Amino acid sequence: MSSLAAARADNFYYPPEWSPKKGGLNKFHGQHALRERARKLDQGILIIRFEMPFNIWCGGCNSMIAKGVRFNAEKKQVGNYYSTKIWSFTMKSPCCKQEIVIQTDPKNTEYVIISGAQRKTEDYDVEDAETLLLPADEERDKLADPMYKLEHQEEDLRKKKEAEPVLVRLQRLSDSRHSDDYALNRALRDRLRSQKKRVAEERKSARKMGLGVRLLPPSAEDATAAAYVKFASKFEKSRRDKRAAIKAASIFPESSSSTSKNKLDLALKRRNIKAGAASALMAGRVKPSSWQSTSSGSSRTAMPIMATRK
C-alpha cells in the first residue's frame, strides 16, 4: 500500500478542496468517526464485537456455540441498576441466523440470556477440579451475623487446636528442607551433571549405530512389547508357498500324468547338459566343433558335440 492509500485508509488524507473552515474530515465527508459501526447511533445502538461469555445452545437449530466465539452485536442500554447501566447485546447465530439477546446483570455480576438461546449447564466436582468450594449465599449471610459467629466460635477454636500440631510439623519439615541452601544447590547441580553425562553417552551410542536421535534406556515395558512381536519363520514361508501353488494349480486332473512327468525330466536333463557345456566352454576346456540336431516327436533341439582340445 502506498503512502497516499495508507493515509486515506487511516482517514488522515486531506484533499485539495478541504479548508479548515469546513471543519474536520468526518464533517467534510459527511460521516461519523465510527463509520459503519455508528449507522444506528440515532436509535441508541452501537455495533461492537461481542465475545460469548459461556457455552450456549442455539434456540433455532439446537447447535452448541462455544465460549469465546465473537459476533457483530448491537449494543444498547435497556435500564439501570442503581447507577450502573444495564446493556443489551443482540446478535445472530452463525448456524441458522437465530436472533440471540444477552443482557448484563450487575447485581450478580454475570450475563443473562434473554431470548434465542439456552445456557449450557456444566457442573464440576470440587475434588476433581482441584478448586475450593465457595460458601453459599446463606452461609455468607450467616458469617456476616455477629450472633452466629459467637455461637460457632467454640467450634472454630476446637478445629484450630486440632489442626495446629499438623501445621507446626509441616512448617518444621519445610524449614529443615530449605535451611541449607548450599546443600540443596549442590544436590541439584550433581543431579544435572549426571543427567548431562547420561544424555551425552546415549547420543554417542546412537551416533555409533548411525541414528540421528538418541535411544532411551531399556525398560520392562519395552521388553514385554518386544516379546509379543513375532517374525515370519521358514516353516510359515514354505506353508505360504505351498498354499499359493495349490491355488494356482488347475482343478481338473491331467489325462496322462506319466507323459508329463517324462517330459519334465527330459527338460531338466537338457537344461543340466546345456549348463555344463556352457561352463566348460567358458573355462576353455572344450571347443564347439559341430552342432547336431536331434529330434523327438514334433520338437527339435540343437545339441552341441564337444571335442577335446588337443
Side-chain angles (χ1 to χ4, degrees):
M1 184 181 290
S2 63
S3 59
L4 179 58
R8 287 177 175 174
D10 295 335
N11 203 17
F12 294 144
Y13 174 70
Y14 291 86
E17 58 271 14
W18 176 85
S19 63
K21 296 180 180 179
K22 297 181 180 180
L25 287 175
N26 294 320
K27 185 178 180 181
F28 175 74
H29 292 296
Q31 63 184 9
H32 196 272
L34 299 177
R35 307 285 181 90
E36 292 296 325
R37 293 173 54 193
R39 63 178 181 270
K40 297 183 179 180
L41 202 61
D42 54 343
Q43 306 174 19
I45 299 174
L46 179 65
I47 309 298
I48 64 165
R49 291 290 287 175
F50 180 80
E51 185 172 331
M52 192 61 64
F54 36 69
N55 299 330
I56 64 172
W57 297 105
C58 177
C61 59
N62 203 26
S63 299
M64 195 197 80
I65 301 175
K67 174 183 177 180
V69 179
R70 296 183 178 181
F71 300 88
N72 290 330
E74 297 180 354
K75 173 185 174 183
K76 63 179 179 179
Q77 182 182 354
V78 293
N80 290 290
Y81 176 73
Y82 294 104
S83 60
T84 305
K85 297 180 180 179
I86 299 176
W87 298 101
S88 173
F89 305 95
T90 305
M91 64 209 79
K92 290 186 178 181
S93 172
C95 47
C96 62
K97 305 303 179 184
Q98 170 78 8
E99 189 177 78
I100 302 173
V101 181
I102 298 178
Q103 287 185 5
T104 58
D105 186 6
K107 181 179 180 180
N108 300 316
T109 63
E110 63 177 1
Y111 291 91
V112 179
I113 299 176
I114 302 302
S115 63
Q118 182 180 2
R119 184 169 181 173
K120 183 179 179 182
T121 305
E122 296 176 335
D123 296 331
Y124 299 96
D125 191 1
V126 178
E127 296 182 357
D128 295 340
E130 297 182 355
T131 57
L132 296 175
L133 180 62
L134 298 177
D137 296 339
E138 298 178 358
E139 294 291 335
R140 275 185 277 181
D141 295 340
K142 289 179 180 179
L143 292 175
D145 187 5
M147 297 301 296
Y148 181 83
K149 285 184 178 181
L150 185 62
E151 290 174 0
H152 294 79
Q153 188 174 7
E154 296 295 332
E155 186 178 356
D156 294 340
L157 291 175
R158 182 181 57 81
K159 291 181 179 180
K160 179 184 176 183
K161 288 181 180 180
E162 291 177 357
E164 189 173 4
V166 180
L167 296 176
V168 170
R169 285 199 302 268
L170 291 175
Q171 185 65 35
R172 288 177 181 174
L173 180 61
S174 178
D175 294 341
S176 63
R177 287 182 176 179
H178 299 86
S179 58
D180 193 355
D181 296 338
Y182 174 76
L184 291 174
N185 190 11
R186 182 179 178 181
L188 178 61
R189 292 177 68 86
D190 290 342
R191 187 163 64 249
L192 289 176
R193 286 194 192 96
S194 62
Q195 184 179 358
K196 287 182 180 179
K197 200 175 293 183
R198 178 174 54 81
V199 170
E201 292 177 357
E202 291 175 356
R203 288 179 178 173
K204 186 177 180 180
S205 61
R207 283 197 299 268
K208 287 182 179 179
M209 294 182 351
L211 299 176
V213 294
R214 63 185 182 92
L215 296 177
L216 295 176
S219 61
E221 297 178 358
D222 297 339
T224 305
Y228 286 108
V229 177
K230 293 183 179 180
F231 297 97
S233 61
K234 195 173 183 180
F235 171 75
E236 293 179 355
K237 184 177 182 301
S238 62
R239 185 172 61 180
R240 285 199 303 268
D241 295 341
K242 288 181 181 178
R243 287 181 178 177
I246 292 171
K247 291 180 179 179
S250 177
I251 61 175
F252 300 103
E254 295 182 358
S255 59
S256 58
S257 59
S258 59
T259 306
S260 61
K261 186 176 181 181
N262 293 334
K263 289 182 179 180
L264 182 61
D265 294 340
L266 183 60
L268 290 174
K269 289 179 181 179
R270 288 174 180 172
R271 187 182 301 171
N272 294 334
I273 292 171
K274 288 182 180 181
S279 61
L281 182 63
M282 293 179 64
R285 295 194 303 271
V286 295
K287 61 180 180 178
S289 59
S290 63
W291 297 87
Q292 182 179 0
S293 301
T294 61
S295 62
S296 66
S298 61
S299 63
R300 296 176 178 272
T301 308
M303 298 292 293
I305 299 176
M306 303 300 173
T308 308
R309 179 179 296 175
K310 295 181 180 179

